[in-house]
Amino acid sequence: MSDWDTVTVIGKNARIGGGGPRQSVARTTGQLNEARRSGAVVSTEKKYGTTNKSNNPEGQRLAKLDDIDDVVQNKKLDLNVGKAIGKARQEKKLTQKDLATKVNEKPQIINDYEAGRAIPNQQLLGKLERALGVKLRGKNIGEPLFAKKK
């Protein structure tokens, strides 16, 4: 009998024809640590289910973000609107803080609007229009909100 005819079996539950011992899945950290202590080959992999059992659409959101190549800048307030706010505020002899108090906002937001750094908020622009009596949206920016009748 030659060496080619012998079959070496490794492990207690080895399958005939080789293949080594049957693999088992460690489901707890204790089982995983025990396998590491015994010197067994350990590989860990994270499995993702194909069904949506949880209400976490994070993967879908990330896939949509990957599809978007271009970066879209947020619209900033037009500088003409900021100048109109500053001019009307000074005509009424109000500070930025006074105007902010009048429209129930922070003074920093009024500063951002006057400098043209703010992202326009139609609700706040409406409050500013009423407080200052000047048009800030649409055509004729900077004109009086209520035209005087002759």
Side-chain angles (χ1 to χ4, degrees):
M1 188 164 142
S2 67
D3 286 339
W4 295 102
D5 294 333
T6 60
V7 177
T8 305
V9 177
I10 301 174
K12 182 167 93 173
N13 295 329
R15 289 183 232 128
I16 297 178
R22 206 171 97 193
Q23 294 180 353
S24 64
V25 178
R27 300 196 188 279
T28 64
T29 55
Q31 291 173 338
L32 187 61
N33 289 335
E34 182 181 341
R36 286 180 180 147
R37 281 193 298 272
S38 67
V41 178
V42 177
S43 70
T44 57
E45 44 184 80
K46 184 152 179 123
K47 294 190 176 186
Y48 296 97
T50 57
T51 60
N52 285 334
K53 290 183 180 177
S54 66
N55 294 333
N56 187 5
E58 187 68 23
Q60 294 173 359
R61 187 183 69 77
L62 291 175
K64 286 180 184 177
L65 286 175
D66 288 342
D67 290 343
I68 298 173
D69 291 337
D70 56 337
V71 177
V72 179
Q73 293 290 330
N74 289 332
K75 291 184 179 180
K76 297 286 183 189
L77 193 66
D78 190 17
L79 198 55
N80 295 334
V81 176
K83 287 179 181 178
I85 293 171
K87 184 178 175 186
R89 178 180 58 79
Q90 289 173 354
E91 286 175 359
K92 291 204 171 224
K93 297 181 179 158
L94 294 172
T95 63
Q96 288 182 345
K97 185 176 180 181
D98 294 338
L99 180 60
T101 305
K102 204 169 190 179
V103 295
N104 199 19
E105 286 293 336
K106 295 180 182 176
Q108 180 63 40
I109 292 176
I110 302 300
N111 188 352
D112 289 344
Y113 268 75
E114 286 187 15
R117 292 186 301 256
I119 298 170
N121 179 350
Q122 296 302 318
Q123 198 171 19
L124 180 57
L125 284 173
K127 288 180 183 178
L128 288 170
E129 282 180 340
R130 288 189 298 276
L132 297 171
V134 174
K135 286 188 180 182
L136 299 174
R137 300 179 283 184
K139 296 180 183 177
N140 307 326
I141 293 174
E143 291 186 5
L145 189 60
F146 305 108
K148 295 178 183 175
K149 295 180 181 178
K150 293 182 180 183

